[in-house]
Amino acid sequence: MDVAAGGLTPALRAWTRPRATFLYDADGGSGAEVATRMHDAGFRHVYTIEGGYAAWVQSGGPSPGDRPRATYGEVAPARGQP
């Protein structure tokens, strides 16, 4: 969602308030802004990844390229499993 284009505020009005909301962005800049705005809109448990997705991957967090994708009817093996 393009936060700068003003799409966030109308969207927040329509969203339900789950127990927890986890956000990430590319570099952590807009994620923190969105988390603050969500909290102000009534979301009480909002979490972001400090430094964004790039920091997550750099710190060793899993990314979609780490595991083979499962196709219909298959289960992908756990990481490190044959």
Side-chain angles (χ1 to χ4, degrees):
M1 174 179 305
D2 187 352
V3 176
L8 180 63
T9 301
L12 288 178
R13 291 187 193 116
W15 292 349
T16 60
R17 273 103 177 120
R19 289 188 148 179
T21 303
F22 297 88
L23 305 171
Y24 69 92
D25 62 357
D27 61 10
S30 61
E33 176 189 344
V34 171
T36 298
R37 291 173 64 184
M38 289 181 76
H39 190 267
D40 292 347
F43 291 78
R44 292 293 167 239
H45 303 283
V46 182
Y47 305 92
T48 63
I49 297 175
E50 186 176 335
Y53 184 73
W56 170 264
V57 172
Q58 187 175 14
S59 71
S63 66
D66 290 345
R67 293 176 35 175
R69 293 181 182 250
T71 59
Y72 183 75
E74 297 179 22
V75 176
R79 192 174 187 178
Q81 300 295 315

